[in-house]
C-alpha cells in the first residue's frame, strides 16, 4: 500500500513501507510522520491502545530509519495529506543513526556533498516531482502533435557551435569524438523523413562559467519542423510552454505549495507571448541605463532587465547574424540579421528557449560555413539536406533545468536536477 | 494539411507540403507518390483536367524533390493509404538531382554512409516510428505506475561496472570523468526520496565488439524499486514488456506491415513469462550440445539457443555471483549465487533486460566492493544508502535498440536508431 492510496481504505488497517521523516511524543501519545515516496502520513500511537513494544523502541528510531508501519486509516483534515493512521504495528527495517542532514540550516557546499541524501528532503523532492511532470508534459505535447522522437547522437565527430566549450573523448582509432551540445543538425536530417521531430536528452558544455544559470551537463528538448518558418516556430513554442505550465499547475499543486511558489504569474500566462526585435531590446536596455551597443550579445543581467518589462515570457527576434550560429536563416530584408528568436522567461529566469529558422539555401549555407571556418568535409551530410529536397524549416531548444527553476521559483539551476554537474562538482 | 488528415476532407481541395517519393506516367496520366512525414499519398494528374504546366515540368522532378501539391481528395481503397488526390496544382520547392539512394540494392556501408538520407526510406522510417512508439509507451508505463523520472548523470567520477570499457573525458582540473554505462547507483539513491523511480537516456560502452547486438552509444531505461525483491521486480518487467508490445501492435500496424513482420509471436505474448534458473539454463545448453560449464557467462549464441526453447521472453535467474556485478544481492540459501534475472527475448534477439535485487546490507556490500577492488572513497555516498534507512530493493535496465530490433524483426541493432555509433562508425 502506498500512502497516496490510503484515502480509499478509511476504517481499514493498512501497511505502509517507508521511512521515518519526523517524530515527537507527548505524554502517552507518539506521533510519527512516515513518508514512502508517494506522500507523507502521520501515524499516531496511544499508550494502552497501540502495542507497548513500539513505545519501548521509540527512542531508538532515528530519523530516516526505514520502517514498516501498520494502522487504521482515519480522515483527519488537520493532518498532513488529510489522513492519519492509528498505529497498530511497527517493524523497524534498518535503524539510521545520526542522519547527517538535520533540521538546522546547512551550507550549500555541505548539502551538495550530501546530494544523495538531500534529495529526500521535502523541497528537493517537490522540485524533482515537478521536473518529472515537466518532462512528461514535454513528451505528451510532442506525441499529441505528431512529432516523432529521434534520439540524436551524443558522440559526434564535429563541433556544431565551436569546439572551445566541448568535452571530448578518444573514439577508438578514429580520433576525437565530442559530446554534443545540440542534436539540431541531426534533427534537420530527420524532418525529411518525418516532417516534425524532436529529441530529448542530456547536453554538455565545458564552459568555465560559474553562474546560477549554468550546468556542464543539462537536459534539453529540441524540436525541428519542416515547412515551418520562424513565425510558425514561435507559435509552436508558445503552445508548448503554455501546455507545460498548465500541466504543472494542474497536477503539482501540492509541490508548488511546498515550495511556497507564488503562482500568480504562472497562472496568468496566456497566448500570444509578446514579441520584440533585437533592435527594440537594445533600445529598451539603453533606456534602462545599460551601455549595451547594437551588435553585442545579451548576458544574464540584460535578459533579466528585459524580462522585467513583461509579465509573460517574451520573444526577442532577429538578432545580428554576427552573434548567432552559422545555420540560421538570413533575414530577407536585412541581411545583417538572422530569422531567430530567443524566449526569455519572466521574473529574471533568463533565456529558456533558443530558436531559429534554418538556412535552407545550399550556396548561402556553404558560404556561411566557410566564413565560420568549419571543416566542410565533416558536414557533407548536412549540406546534402540542401541538395535533396531542401525546404523552409525551423526549430528550437528548451533548457529543462532553467524551465524547472523558473516554474519552481528557485534561484539556482543546481537544484533543478538530481545530481548536478558543475565546474567544481562531479560528486556524488 | 498533413497527409494523415486528408481523410476528413473528401471532395475538397487540399494542399500537401512534402517530397516526391515516386513517379510514373502512362499516356495522358501521371502518378506522383508524395510523402510528408505523416504518410504517403498518390496524386493523379490527367491531361486536360490538371494544369498543363505540370506535365511540362514532370521530367525535371527528380525523386526526393520538395514539392507542394494541391488536389481534390478522393477515396481510393486500392491506393496507398486509401486516398488519392486529383492534381490541381504543383509547386516545386527545390529540385533534387540524382538522389544517391536508388531503387537498386545498395551495400550496407554505402547506406550507413548515407544514413542521413537512408532514414527517409519506407522501412527505415517505419523502424524509427516504432521506436518512437516504444519510447512513448515506456514513459507512459512508468508515469501511470507512479514512478518518478530521475535524469541520472552521464559524467561520473567512477566506473560502476569496471573501467576498461568506458569512454573518458578531462573534467576541468578535476581529473577524468567517465561516460556512464548505467545510472543505477544514482537511481538507488533516488528511491529513498520517491519509492519508485526510473531514468531514460543514452549509455556508453567503449567495447571493441563488432556484433549485430552492440552499439557504442545506446539508449537504456532503468527502473529502481524500494521494498521490491527480485520476484516483485520480475513482475514489473513482465508487465512493462507486455505493455510496450501491446501498444506497438495497436498503434503501429502499418509500420509492422511495411517491415513484413510476422507478428504471431508478438501477438501471443501473455503473462507470466517462463522463469528458469541459471542452473537449468546450463543443463539446457549442455543438452543442446554446448560445452558451457557451470560458472561461465552466456554469450549471444547461448542466449539464442535458450530462447529457442520458448515462444515468449524467458527469465534466467540466480547467476553465480562471480560473473555478475558487485551490487547484486547475495542469495539467502546459496551464497555462491546472486538474486538476479536476465530477460532473453524470443526468436534469438538476445538479452533485453538485466535486473537484480541489490545488496542492502552495509557490511556485505562493503566486502563485495573491496573484493572487486573498487576505490571505496568514490562510493562513500553509495554506502550511505545502506546506513540511513536501507531497504530491500531491486531494479532493471532495458536496452532500447535491442527491444526495437526484436519488435521490428530486424537482424542488426544499427537500424534501430537514427544515427548509430559503432566501432568504426561515427559519421554522419
Amino acid at each position: 500500500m502506498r500512502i497516496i492510496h490510503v484515502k480509499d481504505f478509511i476504517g481499514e488497517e493498512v501497511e505502509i513501507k517507508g521511512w521515518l521523516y519526523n517524530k515527537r511524543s507527548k505524554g502517552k501519545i507518539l506521533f510519527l510522520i512516515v513518508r514512502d515516496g508517494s506522500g507523507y502520513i502521520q501515524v499516531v500511537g496511544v499508550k494502552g491502545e497501540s502495542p507497548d513494544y513500539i513505545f519501548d523502541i521509540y527512542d531508538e528510531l532515528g530519523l530516516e530509519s526505514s520502517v514498516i508501519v501498520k494502522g487504521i486509516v482515519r480522515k483527519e483534515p488537520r493532518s498532513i495529506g488529510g489522513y492519519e493512521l492509528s498505529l497498530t504495528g511497527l517493524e523497524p527495517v534498518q535503524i539510521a543513526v545520526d542522519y547527517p542532514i538535520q533540521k538546522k540550516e546547512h551550507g550549500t557546499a555541505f548539502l551538495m556533498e550530501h546530494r544523495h541524501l538531500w534529495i529526500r528532503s521535502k523541497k528537493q523532492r517537490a522540485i524533482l516531482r515537478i521536473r518529472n511532470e515537466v518532462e512528461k508534459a514535454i513528451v505528451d505535447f510532442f506525441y499529441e502533435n505528431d512529432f516523432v522522437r529521434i534520439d540524436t547522437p551524443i558522440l559526434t565527430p564535429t563541433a556544431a557551435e565551436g569546439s572551445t566549450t566541448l568535452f571530448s573523448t578518444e573514439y577508438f582509432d578514429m580520433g576525437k569524438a565530442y559530446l554534443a551540445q545540440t542534436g539540431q543538425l541531426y534533427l534537420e536530417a530527420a524532418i525529411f523523413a518525418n516532417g516534425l521531430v524532436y529529441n530529448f536528452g542530456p547536453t554538455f558544455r565545458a564552459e568555465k562559467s560559474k553562474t546560477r544559470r549554468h550546468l556542464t551537463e543539462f537536459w534539453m528538448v529540441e524540436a525541428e519542423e519542416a515547412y515551418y518558418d520562424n513565425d510558425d516556430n514561435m507559435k509552436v513554442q508558445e503552445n508548448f510552454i503554455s501546455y507545460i505550465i498548465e500541466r504543472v499547475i494542474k497536477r503539482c499543486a501540492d509541490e508548488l505549495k511546498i515550495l511556497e511558489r507564488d503562482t500568480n504569474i504562472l497562472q496568468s500566462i496566456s497566448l500570444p507571448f509578446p514579441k520584440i526585435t533585437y533592435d527594440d531590446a537594445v533600445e529598451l536596455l539603453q533606456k534602462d541605463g545599460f551601455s549595451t551597443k547594437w551588435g553585442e550579445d545579451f548576458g544574464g543581467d540584460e535578459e533579466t532587465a528585459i524580462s522585467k518589462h513583461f509579465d509573460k515570457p517574451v520573444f526577442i527576434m532577429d538578432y545580428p547574424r554576427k552573434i548567432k550560429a552559422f545555420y540560421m536563416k538570413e533575414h530577407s530584408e536585412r541581411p545583417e540579421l538572422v530569422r531567430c528568436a530567443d524566449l526569455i522567461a519572466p521574473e529574471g529566469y533568463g533565456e529558456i528557449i533558443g530558436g531559429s529558422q534554418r538556412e535552407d539555401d545550399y550556396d548561402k549555407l556553404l558560404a556561411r560555413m566557410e566564413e565560420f571556418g568549419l571543416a566542410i568535409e565533416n558536414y557533407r551530410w548536412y549540406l546534402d539536406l540542401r541538395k535533396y529536397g531542401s525546404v523552409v524549416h525551423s526549430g528550437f531548444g528548451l533548457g529543462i533545468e532553467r524551465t524547472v527553476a523558473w516554474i519552481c521559483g528557485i534561484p539556482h539551476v543546481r537544484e533543478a536536477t538530481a545530481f548536478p554537474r558543475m565546474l567544481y562538482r562531479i560528486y556524488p
Side-chain angles (χ1 to χ4, degrees), chain A:
Chain A
M1 169 80 53
R2 305 196 80 204
I3 291 171
I4 32 167
H5 299 129
V6 297
K7 64 181 192 303
D8 302 325
F9 293 85
I10 293 174
E12 295 181 51
E13 184 177 58
V14 299
E15 181 184 87
I16 303 289
K17 297 175 175 182
W19 295 270
L20 185 60
Y21 183 70
N22 218 335
K23 67 171 187 176
R24 65 192 165 90
S25 70
K26 202 175 153 188
K28 293 183 168 180
I29 307 180
L30 59 82
F31 301 91
L32 310 174
I33 309 265
V34 173
R35 57 173 195 83
D36 71 348
S38 82
Y40 302 82
I41 194 159
Q42 178 155 278
V43 183
V44 183
V46 179
K47 227 166 196 163
E49 294 176 17
S50 305
D52 281 343
Y53 75 92
I54 300 173
F55 294 84
D56 300 337
I57 60 169
Y58 173 83
D59 283 340
E60 290 165 44
L61 294 174
L63 295 190
E64 289 300 318
S65 293
S66 38
V67 291
I68 299 174
V69 293
K70 282 186 188 170
I72 316 286
V73 181
R74 277 189 291 124
K75 206 168 176 169
E76 177 50 76
R78 290 168 305 176
S79 198
I80 185 169
Y83 299 88
E84 266 186 9
L85 294 190
S86 301
L87 185 63
T88 57
L90 186 149
E91 179 198 331
V93 179
Q94 192 259 330
I95 300 284
V97 180
D98 296 335
Y99 184 67
I101 299 178
Q102 299 297 324
K103 289 274 167 282
K104 72 170 172 110
E105 287 284 310
H106 294 280
T108 302
F110 179 88
L111 291 170
M112 291 306 293
E113 193 69 12
H114 293 84
R115 185 66 181 164
H116 56 295
L117 304 175
W118 189 24
I119 55 174
R120 302 184 188 185
S121 77
K122 219 173 199 170
K123 283 199 177 180
Q124 296 304 316
R125 179 179 165 274
I127 294 167
L128 293 179
R129 284 193 88 100
I130 287 173
R131 181 182 172 115
N132 176 58
E133 197 62 52
V134 166
E135 297 194 333
K136 186 57 163 54
I138 285 169
V139 295
D140 286 348
F141 176 85
F142 285 118
Y143 187 84
E144 289 167 15
N145 288 284
D146 203 37
F147 283 67
V148 174
R149 178 173 180 149
I150 299 290
D151 297 317
T152 54
I154 304 294
L155 296 170
T156 45
T158 52
E161 299 186 351
S163 70
T164 52
T165 59
L166 288 173
F167 290 105
S168 67
T169 186
E170 290 301 321
Y171 196 81
F172 306 107
D173 307 327
M174 299 179 73
K176 276 204 184 328
Y178 300 94
L179 304 194
Q181 287 189 344
T182 169
Q184 176 201 316
L185 307 195
Y186 293 96
L187 289 183
E188 288 186 63
I191 57 168
F192 295 87
N194 297 293
L196 303 169
V197 297
Y198 79 106
N199 71 7
F200 185 34
T203 312
F204 304 87
R205 228 163 258 212
E207 247 175 321
K208 287 212 167 178
S209 50
K210 220 188 138 191
T211 83
R212 62 192 178 84
R213 290 180 188 166
H214 287 89
L215 298 172
T216 57
E217 176 178 338
F218 58 100
W219 277 61
M220 189 153 72
V221 54
E222 297 176 285
E224 197 72 26
E225 309 120 356
Y227 286 107
Y228 280 45
D229 66 15
N230 197 47
D231 294 330
D232 301 326
N233 192 31
M234 286 191 285
K235 270 186 206 126
V236 176
Q237 293 167 51
E238 288 175 339
N239 289 326
F240 180 49
I241 294 294
S242 121
Y243 183 97
I244 293 171
I245 300 293
E246 269 180 41
R247 173 75 81 85
V248 173
I249 287 176
K250 200 171 160 190
R251 303 200 189 170
C252 294
D254 289 350
E255 285 78 11
L256 290 166
K257 215 167 159 187
I258 288 169
L259 296 171
E260 297 166 12
R261 175 67 166 130
D262 173 359
T263 56
N264 279 327
I265 285 188
L266 296 180
Q267 298 269 10
S268 64
I269 282 174
S270 57
L271 302 186
F273 294 168
K275 294 170 188 70
I276 62 173
T277 62
Y278 171 85
D279 295 353
D280 298 336
V282 171
E283 210 175 298
L284 211 58
L285 287 168
Q286 287 170 349
K287 273 188 198 156
D288 283 352
F290 283 84
S291 61
T292 319
K293 288 191 193 67
W294 197 98
E296 293 174 358
D297 205 356
F298 306 142
D301 292 343
E302 285 84 354
E303 285 170 2
T304 298
I306 293 165
S307 78
K308 297 247 156 100
H309 290 273
F310 304 91
D311 53 6
K312 292 199 268 190
V314 53
F315 284 110
I316 308 177
M317 303 184 304
D318 301 348
Y319 281 67
R321 58 185 295 167
K322 280 204 178 148
I323 54 172
K324 285 292 181 185
F326 73 89
Y327 47 72
M328 294 191 183
K329 176 75 180 171
E330 185 181 287
H331 195 289
S332 57
E333 286 140 47
R334 291 176 58 192
E336 75 277 19
L337 304 180
V338 283
R339 293 291 285 140
C340 69
D342 286 348
L343 185 66
I344 314 295
E347 306 172 80
Y349 283 91
E351 180 196 325
I352 50 173
I353 290 184
S356 74
Q357 190 169 326
R358 320 305 190 184
E359 187 55 73
D360 52 306
D361 181 89
Y362 183 93
D363 295 325
K364 283 189 175 165
L365 181 64
L366 182 61
R368 190 100 168 117
M369 291 169 77
E370 283 168 348
E371 191 185 315
F372 270 69
L374 299 178
I376 304 299
E377 181 58 16
N378 290 332
Y379 292 92
R380 274 173 299 138
W381 68 272
Y382 185 63
L383 283 161
D384 272 357
L385 309 178
R386 276 69 180 173
K387 276 166 74 176
Y388 304 114
S390 188
V391 295
V392 167
H393 65 288
S394 301
F396 64 89
L398 171 95
I400 304 305
E401 286 77 11
R402 288 192 186 180
T403 304
V404 170
W406 164 44
I407 293 174
C408 292
I410 52 174
H412 201 301
V413 292
R414 70 183 160 221
E415 294 178 31
T417 187
F419 297 97
R421 296 296 178 239
M422 292 173 291
L423 188 48
Y424 299 112
R425 166 72 49 204
I426 195 175
Y427 175 95

